[in-house]
Amino acid sequence: MKKNELTDKNYAKVSKGFYAALIISVAMVGAACLFAHKQGDKLSQKPNSPIVQEAQVNKPVTDIPKATAPAQRATAPAVTAPVFNDEPQITIPAAEITVDAAVPEEHGFAEQPEAPAAAVDNMSSAAAPLSDMSNVLSPFSSGELVKNETTGTWQTHNGTDIAAEVGADVFAAENGEVASVTSDPLWGVSVLIDHKNGFTTRYCGLGADLAVQQGDTVDCGAVIGAVGETADIESSMPPHLHIEVTHNGKFIDPMTVLGSQ
């Protein structure tokens, strides 16, 4: 019986505590609602505040505050595109050098200096190309310009013209080898002999019947042909032999080696 009494007492204590807590909670909720109601009344009693609406911007806005932090600008690497030009490029040399090249002239027109007299001694035993050397029609011009009687032009006369009858024998002036036999458009039938000592002799205006041909070896005084009239460049002159002498490639006066024979 004592046990049941304790149980009832404990239950009664718990019930009282529960109801007390419930009452306190209800009171707190009521107080909160009252406070909220009062605050709402205060807000409703304040004057109406103007309603700010966003205005439409019809012009650029210039009063925007500047940013205090420096703006970061991304710098892209510069790209250089190649420039194409359709026009051909012209390369200007640093300096232009003009070289005057020697212009070859036709035989009989080239100006050649006379060889020194000492070199002529190598032809001291030369024979005369004609039996009569006394009648010189046109002498060696030694590089000077003279008027050609046939063409009327001024030119150098690189040989000596010696009058002779057509058909007169023409002799080799020295031992040597026939280097060429030609029919020259200006100088007619011509024979060139290389004497193998730096000297050559050339016999122009010969007749067509020759006693030698290219490659023959000839002796001094041997007959190589006869005087003709085949040199058109001197056709206005009386029949004659046009003879030229060179030493080491330079024209010299034939009479300095042949005239005394």
Side-chain angles (χ1 to χ4, degrees):
M1 293 299 290
K2 290 181 180 181
K3 184 177 180 178
N4 292 336
E5 290 177 0
L6 293 174
T7 302
D8 295 336
K9 290 179 180 181
N10 291 334
Y11 178 78
K13 290 180 179 181
V14 172
S15 299
K16 290 180 180 180
F18 173 77
Y19 285 114
L22 179 62
I23 293 170
I24 292 171
S25 299
V26 171
M28 292 178 66
V29 169
C33 292
L34 180 62
F35 178 78
H37 180 70
K38 290 181 178 182
Q39 291 295 327
D41 292 341
K42 291 180 179 181
L43 293 174
S44 61
Q45 292 176 2
K46 292 182 178 182
N48 295 331
S49 301
I51 300 175
V52 179
Q53 296 181 352
E54 292 184 357
Q56 294 183 355
V57 179
N58 294 326
K59 61 180 179 179
V61 179
T62 58
D63 57 350
I64 298 176
K66 296 182 179 180
T68 57
Q72 299 293 330
R73 178 178 294 177
T75 303
V79 179
T80 302
V83 179
F84 297 97
N85 193 348
D86 295 335
E87 298 180 358
Q89 296 185 356
I90 301 175
T91 302
I92 302 176
E96 295 183 359
I97 301 175
T98 302
V99 178
D100 293 331
V103 180
E105 299 185 24
E106 292 186 5
H107 178 75
F109 292 84
E111 181 177 345
Q112 298 288 344
E114 187 174 353
V120 178
D121 294 340
N122 293 328
M123 288 283 285
S124 58
S125 61
L130 292 171
S131 57
D132 184 3
M133 298 282 292
S134 61
N135 190 5
V136 176
L137 299 177
S138 296
F140 178 71
S141 71
S142 188
E144 297 294 330
L145 294 178
V146 294
K147 187 174 182 180
N148 185 293
E149 295 182 7
T150 302
T151 63
T153 59
W154 291 83
Q155 61 193 57
T156 60
H157 192 243
N158 297 324
T160 299
D161 297 334
I162 305 170
E165 296 291 335
V166 174
D169 290 336
V170 177
F171 309 103
E174 184 60 276
N175 299 335
E177 179 182 341
V178 178
S180 67
V181 175
T182 60
S183 179
D184 190 273
L186 297 178
W187 297 98
V189 178
S190 303
V191 175
L192 176 65
I193 299 178
D194 184 357
H195 300 290
K196 305 299 182 180
N197 57 358
F199 286 86
T200 66
T201 52
R202 186 169 185 251
Y203 312 81
C204 302
L206 302 178
D209 294 332
L210 298 175
V212 296
Q213 59 184 357
Q214 183 175 344
D216 287 351
T217 299
V218 295
D219 296 328
C220 178
V223 176
I224 60 174
V227 174
E229 294 181 302
T230 58
D232 290 342
I233 195 171
E234 295 179 343
S235 60
S236 64
M237 298 174 63
H240 64 278
L241 171 68
H242 176 96
I243 185 168
E244 299 172 353
V245 179
T246 66
H247 179 251
N248 294 331
K250 295 182 179 180
F251 291 105
I252 65 173
D253 186 354
M255 300 305 288
T256 60
V257 295
L258 306 176
S260 61
Q261 303 298 322

